[in-house]
């Protein structure tokens, strides 16, 4: 393996596991830094294949394809936390993989993740591990109704979770999530959802983008606004939570931390950490157009052991996802003033599928 | 051919003739709009190949390869004015090619180009067509010394031109440019060099980026600064010159017009048009990081018949080219604050070769 204390020189190849829109934007950010990219994804229609130097179409379990991939690249990263951690671990035996594959083990299990966050002194919603209706009922009795039942593994964008309003809902909820090991979480009556997108270099350098405010619809991110409508102290606390988690994980790369802002007394605010995404994140897409450096470049710099600049935001911004057939209005959207449009080149529109996003810019009002 | 009055839908493929850094940045801009790109270039090491969906490695004269390319794409553009105009014209028989191939005929010949500019009522330096030492001497007698001898065809980045200080220089100058049909131009004692990067849509919409000031070294662009150190009236005149030329050409896409600012009386300024580049231009690279839309996206929108937004600049900026082995300092450059680095992925460093550029951002002072 190359000396990982040196920056990876331009012309090197960075491998990316996963070929969705995040892999696509990571690939373009790497190219701007003079790197070649090699995208590995089982889906031959992967959007990232359209903007990469090399492609491997193979299952994540294909050991021969993984060995060839490891040979062909100088470092590896991933776009998605549901990449099998065994895949990342196998690659890490012969090539630098960042963020560390062990982080996937943690974030692929909601119970392990929540426990980790909590152990680091950060507040989370009450939660319990459950593996059957009797355990759910017992846990719900303690946590209170309504509460949320979530599979421990392979959840994202609202998948693998359901709301439990009352004891009678429990059997249906348990089948709805497929009767798999789960956690039960308290419902959080939050004022706002925000995210902290932070980066950590392998030398311990910490960087943070401005805290962003998110609005979800049907479990899918609809829009992100910066600056968030929170106090400076709350923003600072969100950033500190991101830093603490990145440091505890000895993390290299960009990590997104989603937080709930809840009322605290008459006018106060406090934060609960909702989840950690060990990757660039939809709620950081605004950085590409409103900031001196994007989350994608920041991540690739960390993976390549390059210096991590202090980001500065030059504009206020609202990012809105284009879901499903909203993308059919591309010509109208492309005519909006001060709006940057990003389309992902996906083959096939499905309801709710993330097809692109827009960033609407406005002059800076404040942070 | 598709109805060219309709916007090309995302998922369409835009062909790009030429695979250098301009093709590379055009390809990434097209991808952000959801297009696929297909780069055609004779050089297998072309930087644009690293970020495109499809590649053709073939000479520009390969009729079979061109026919296949035309079949595979929904529209074609080019990154470089020295693409053979016959190549573009051959493609235009079956697919939309923008800017129009006829524009290449004009800009590939400095005499035809200067005559065109002059005929459109815009001032240029005195010039004459010459094809031998006697003609050079006669023309120099009229234009005055020093003057510049330039081949009519295939010049860029200071190539194919030489300075004539006195009559005794003429024989050497004539051999230096290879004894080819040439133009002799007056030397212009300019105050500044500026460029107007303008765009025109096929519906006649005109857009302009802020006027940029350029500094050349050894005939190669060294840096571009925005805003330029010129009066508002001069900036407006530069923009108007760009618009007039784009309109006269019924141009579709981004065109760069280089101008000299010369003293006019005690405090006045006036403009001479130096040359037209029918493409995105090195002096517009700042737009990618300091503006709401880049020249690359603006060009691709025009080619695809999409709306052309009014660009607004959110930051002051200085673009500096990274030439030859300056790129070896990548780690130091990447640590500069508020600086975006762009490397082109070129294989092989040569003295003076454009390997990348940086954009240093600063808060907006004014336009």
């Amino acid at each position: 393996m190359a000396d990982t204390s040196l920056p990876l020189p331009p012309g090197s190849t960075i491998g990316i596991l996963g070929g969705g829109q995040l892999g696509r934007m990571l690939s373009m950010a790497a190219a701007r830094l003079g790197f070649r990219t090699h995208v590995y994804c089982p889906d031959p229609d992967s959007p990232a294949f359209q903007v990469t130097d090399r492609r491997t179409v193979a299952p994540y379990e294909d050991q021969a394809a993984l060995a060839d991939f490891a040979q062909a690249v100088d470092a590896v990263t991933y776009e998605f936390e549901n990449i099998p951690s065994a895949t990342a671990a196998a690659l890490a035996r012969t090539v630098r993989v960042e963020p560390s594959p062990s982080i996937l083990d943690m974030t692929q299990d909601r119970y392990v993740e929540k426990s980790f966050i909590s152990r680091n002194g950060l507040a989370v919603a009450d939660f319990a591990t459950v593996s059957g209706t009797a355990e759910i009922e017992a846990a719900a009795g303690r946590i209170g109704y309504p509460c949320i039942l979530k599979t421990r593994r392979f959840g994202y964008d609202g998948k693998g979770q359901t709301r439990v309003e009352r004891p009678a809902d429990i059997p249906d909820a348990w089948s709805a999530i497929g009767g798999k090991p789960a956690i039960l979480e308290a419902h959080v009556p939050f004022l706002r959802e925000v995210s902290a997108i932070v980066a950590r270099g392998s030398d311990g350098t910490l960087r943070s983008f401005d805290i962003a405010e998110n609005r979800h619809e049907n479990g899918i991110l609809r829009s992100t606004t910066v600056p968030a409508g929170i106090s400076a102290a709350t923003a600072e606390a969100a950033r500190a939570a991101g830093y603490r988690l990145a440091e505890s994980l000895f993390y290299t790369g960009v990590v997104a931390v989603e937080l709930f802002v809840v009322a605290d007394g008459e006018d106060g605010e406090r934060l609960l950490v909702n989840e950690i995404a060990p990757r660039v994140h939809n709620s950081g897409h605004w950085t590409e157009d409103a900031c001196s450096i994007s989350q994608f470049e920041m991540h690739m710099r960390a993976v390549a052991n390059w210096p991590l600049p202090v980001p500065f935001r030059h504009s206020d911004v609202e990012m809105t996802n284009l879901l499903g057939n909203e993308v059919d209005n591309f010509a109208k959207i492309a005519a909006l003033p001060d709006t940057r449009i990003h389309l992902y080149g996906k083959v096939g529109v499905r309801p709710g599928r993330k097809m692109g996003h827009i960033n609407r810019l406005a002059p800076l009002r404040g942070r």
Side-chain angles (χ1 to χ4, degrees), chain A:
Chain A
M1 248 184 280
D3 182 343
T4 55
S5 69
L6 291 177
L8 200 62
S12 305
T13 300
I14 300 181
I16 301 171
L17 296 168
Q21 67 267 26
L22 301 179
R24 178 179 171 100
M25 292 184 275
L26 285 169
S27 182
M28 288 195 274
R32 270 203 307 273
L33 300 175
F35 295 113
R36 293 171 186 243
T37 58
H38 184 152
V39 173
Y40 188 117
C41 194
D43 177 0
D45 282 335
S46 294
F49 285 160
Q50 298 164 20
V51 291
T52 186
D53 190 46
R54 295 193 59 191
R55 310 161 175 107
T56 297
V57 182
Y60 290 123
E61 297 75 17
D62 183 335
Q63 297 305 317
L66 288 171
D68 288 346
F69 178 68
Q71 281 295 317
V73 299
D74 300 295
V76 171
T77 191
Y78 42 86
E79 61 144 15
F80 193 41
E81 65 272 31
N82 288 336
I83 300 293
S85 66
T87 300
L91 292 168
R93 284 195 283 275
T94 53
V95 67
R96 173 178 161 99
V97 178
E98 298 291 1
S100 162
S102 63
I103 287 162
L104 290 174
D105 286 322
M106 189 270 280
T107 57
Q108 283 176 4
D109 185 318
R110 283 192 169 108
Y111 179 69
V112 177
E113 181 183 326
K114 291 268 175 194
S115 305
F116 171 83
I117 297 166
S118 185
R119 230 175 25 245
N120 275 280
L122 298 168
V124 295
D126 280 349
F127 68 103
T129 174
V130 290
S131 53
T133 53
E135 280 184 18
I136 297 172
E137 192 158 353
R142 180 171 62 76
I143 289 171
Y145 292 90
C147 48
I148 318 288
L149 184 66
K150 299 179 177 179
T151 55
R152 282 176 62 159
R153 298 176 65 81
F154 300 118
Y156 67 98
D157 281 353
K159 288 172 191 163
Q161 54 180 278
T162 189
R163 194 175 158 114
V164 182
E165 297 284 350
R166 60 191 75 79
D169 293 346
I170 292 175
D172 283 353
W174 179 240
S175 357
I177 65 152
K180 289 182 189 140
I183 66 170
L184 193 74
E185 277 182 27
H187 167 73
V188 176
F190 57 80
L191 301 173
R192 302 169 190 279
E193 297 171 85
V194 298
S195 50
I197 311 281
V198 306
R200 184 175 176 277
S202 54
D203 63 353
T205 303
L206 289 166
R207 300 291 184 226
S208 164
F209 292 96
D210 288 348
I211 304 303
E213 180 167 344
N214 302 319
R215 194 165 59 78
H216 285 80
E217 271 174 20
N218 306 319
I220 299 175
L221 186 66
R222 179 81 255 188
S223 66
T224 296
T225 307
V226 189
I230 54 177
S231 70
T234 303
E236 198 42 49
R239 187 184 304 247
Y243 282 168
R244 185 175 314 173
L245 292 169
E247 285 192 311
S248 302
L249 291 165
F250 298 97
Y251 195 90
T252 298
V254 163
V255 56
V257 180
E258 290 186 56
L259 306 107
F260 295 129
V261 181
V262 296
D264 189 25
E266 190 78 15
D267 302 311
E269 294 173 343
R270 66 189 180 87
L271 292 167
L272 299 178
V273 176
N274 182 32
E275 62 180 51
I276 304 173
R279 53 170 169 86
V280 290
H281 193 262
N282 196 166
S283 68
H285 288 0
W286 63 269
T287 58
E288 189 157 11
D289 297 319
C291 202
S292 60
I293 179 169
S294 74
Q295 63 167 349
F296 307 103
E297 178 173 336
M298 190 72 95
H299 184 76
M300 283 310 201
R301 281 177 174 248
V303 169
N305 228 350
W306 281 35
L308 303 185
V310 176
F312 82 91
R313 183 166 58 81
H314 55 67
S315 300
D316 286 357
V317 57
E318 182 176 43
M319 187 285 309
T320 305
N321 278 330
L322 301 175
L323 303 176
N325 59 16
E326 290 170 1
V327 74
D328 296 344
N329 293 321
F330 71 91
K332 210 166 149 189
I333 296 164
L336 294 171
D338 304 345
T339 300
R340 301 213 60 179
I341 184 167
H342 298 256
L343 301 180
Y344 303 151
K346 289 187 182 177
V347 179
V349 178
R350 289 192 302 268
R353 191 177 196 198
K354 291 177 179 172
M355 303 301 293
H357 67 272
I358 56 172
N359 285 324
R360 291 185 200 220
L361 302 177
L364 203 62
R365 281 173 300 139
R367 276 156 214 280

